[in-house]
Amino acid sequence: MKAILCTRFGGPDDLEFSDIPDPVPGAGEVVVAVKAVALNFFDTLIIAGKYQFKPPFPFSPASEFAGVVESVGAGVTSLKPGDRVLGYGGHGAAREKVAIGADHVVPIPDSLSFDRAAGLTVIYGTTLHALKDRAHLKPGESLAVLGASGGTGLAAIELGKLMGARVIACASSDDKLAFCRQHGADETINYATDELKEALRRVTGGNGVDVIYDPVGGPYAEPALRSIAWAGRFLVIGFAAGEIPKIPLNLALLKGCDIVGVFWGAFIARDPAGQRANMADLVRWAAEGKLSAHVHATYPLADTPAALKAIADRKVMGKVILHP
Ligand SMILES: NC(=O)c1ccc[n+]([C@@H]2O[C@H](COP(=O)([O-])OP(=O)(O)OC[C@H]3O[C@@H](n4cnc5c(N)ncnc54)[C@H](OP(=O)(O)O)[C@@H]3O)[C@@H](O)[C@H]2O)c1
């Protein structure tokens, strides 16, 4: 089978498009014929050796996929060949077939396309955990989303609206903000042209924002935190801008607010039942059309380097999908 392999840390052009043997399912595993692979921002980091987890070489990037079960290993009774599924494995999905533990695979209905299903787990799984379990977002609260047209940002807009929040989308261009409005944002702020702290205060009538969702970091985190409401929650999601902000702790004291870490990968290891319950909701909402799982562009597997460059160049709205 064909696979994208990372044989040494480097950039997208250092990846190799190779032939490797087909996988065989071990006990408790299934082999899935992959129809769609979703890339995430962290795939740009994992191939460069800049991610918190460094897989042994050679490995395939991409953590999530959708496809059809081809064979099942000993002891697997919950799945059978022909089942349509999505799956999540940390890395290793940019290939034609994936062998994976049956407990990392979720059946999907016929009404959910492989392209939309492939990108559901990471961005929506992270965001449901963040907004529900970590921020305890309540109907009627305001929710500001930074990097709002990106993968996690889009998920925060859509899940924020489903949970009854008033969503303020913040992004770097008017095109991106128009996309955010199409996906349900009530207010928009262009943080490339507007001063973020003042703009957030303005759109909340001076009250400040109840919950801030920050997957970007860099120069935006501190101005956003300075606009938070009394007893607000600031969700630390990621640092797509590259720089990890250093926050003056007196802000937390003065605002009576919480700065809340979100680590979805650790959450699913510690609470697999909670993750399974969240995925059941996400698959159902996506199949019902309540979540877009918007696909920005699709690429053949061989063009994985171009897809990763589009993410790193800040050009993607929603997800990029690979077709093996
Ligand atoms: N905590 C967790 O458990 C968890 C789970 C999943 C992802 N993450 C992290 O969340 C972050 C975002 O992931 P994502 O999948 O949403 O990424 P994404 O789809 O690439 O979106 C990131 C957004 O960040 C903004 N950005 C600002 N400066 C950037 C730069 N220098 N390069 C790229 N983007 C930049 C862009 O929006 P504008 O152009 O509008 O600024 C972009 O839309 C990553 O750091 C990822 O590792 C964390």
Side-chain angles (χ1 to χ4, degrees):
M1 67 172 179
K2 295 286 185 196
I4 292 289
L5 293 184
C6 181
T7 58
R8 61 191 186 284
F9 290 132
D13 289 327
D14 295 312
L15 294 170
E16 296 173 15
F17 188 49
S18 306
D19 285 296
I20 60 170
D22 281 11
V24 177
E29 287 187 339
V30 297
V31 166
V32 178
V34 177
K35 304 292 184 192
V37 179
L39 291 174
N40 283 283
F41 183 88
F42 62 70
D43 292 306
T44 68
L45 303 177
I46 204 167
I47 63 165
K50 293 179 181 167
Y51 192 56
Q52 55 229 29
F53 177 64
K54 296 179 179 57
F57 298 123
F59 69 90
S60 295
S63 61
E64 49 180 352
F65 60 91
V68 178
V69 174
E70 192 178 78
S71 55
V72 303
V76 175
T77 53
S78 56
L79 295 160
K80 60 182 186 315
D83 285 350
R84 301 172 83 252
V85 294
L86 60 75
Y88 171 82
H91 65 276
R95 48 180 61 192
E96 288 179 326
K97 298 179 186 187
V98 171
I100 188 165
D103 53 347
H104 285 71
V105 162
V106 177
I108 55 172
D110 290 345
S111 55
L112 186 56
S113 71
F114 291 122
D115 281 1
R116 289 179 63 229
L120 209 55
T121 306
V122 175
I123 60 169
Y124 289 99
T126 297
T127 305
L128 187 55
H129 170 56
L131 297 182
K132 184 182 67 164
D133 305 331
R134 303 296 287 140
H136 309 292
L137 180 67
K138 294 187 265 307
E141 286 193 314
S142 55
L143 167 69
V145 181
L146 310 189
S149 72
T152 55
L154 175 66
I157 294 176
E158 294 182 348
L159 286 171
K161 288 305 296 177
L162 263 183
M163 294 169 77
R166 176 169 168 258
V167 175
I168 306 158
C170 310
S172 67
S173 77
D174 291 341
D175 282 353
K176 288 184 172 185
L177 293 171
F179 172 83
C180 295
R181 276 203 185 271
Q182 285 162 17
H183 288 271
D186 299 292
E187 305 279 350
T188 56
I189 294 172
N190 183 333
Y191 50 44
T193 56
D194 212 344
E195 209 286 309
L196 184 58
K197 180 183 79 174
E198 295 308 324
L200 286 171
R201 283 196 181 151
R202 192 173 64 234
V203 300
T204 53
N207 293 327
V209 184
D210 296 311
V211 175
I212 297 171
Y213 182 97
D214 180 14
V216 182
Y220 305 121
E222 186 174 330
L225 181 61
R226 286 182 182 277
S227 76
I228 205 163
W230 177 254
R233 287 85 77 205
F234 183 100
L235 293 165
V236 181
I237 305 293
F239 312 103
E243 183 209 334
I244 298 177
K246 311 270 185 295
I247 297 294
L249 275 181
N250 65 317
L251 292 178
L253 182 156
L254 292 170
K255 306 282 185 180
C257 72
D258 297 342
I259 298 174
V260 184
V262 177
F263 189 178
W264 174 77
F267 158 71
I268 64 173
R270 287 164 181 266
D271 185 3
Q275 162 66 4
R276 272 195 299 279
N278 282 355
M279 284 310 298
D281 285 340
L282 293 172
V283 167
R284 193 178 68 255
W285 291 334
E288 291 171 355
K290 292 178 179 163
L291 303 175
S292 70
H294 176 81
V295 176
H296 176 86
T298 61
Y299 294 79
L301 184 64
D303 291 345
T304 300
L308 286 167
K309 284 181 211 173
I311 294 175
D313 291 345
R314 221 167 157 171
K315 288 181 179 151
V316 173
M317 293 188 262
K319 303 297 295 179
V320 287
I321 299 295
L322 307 171
H323 286 160

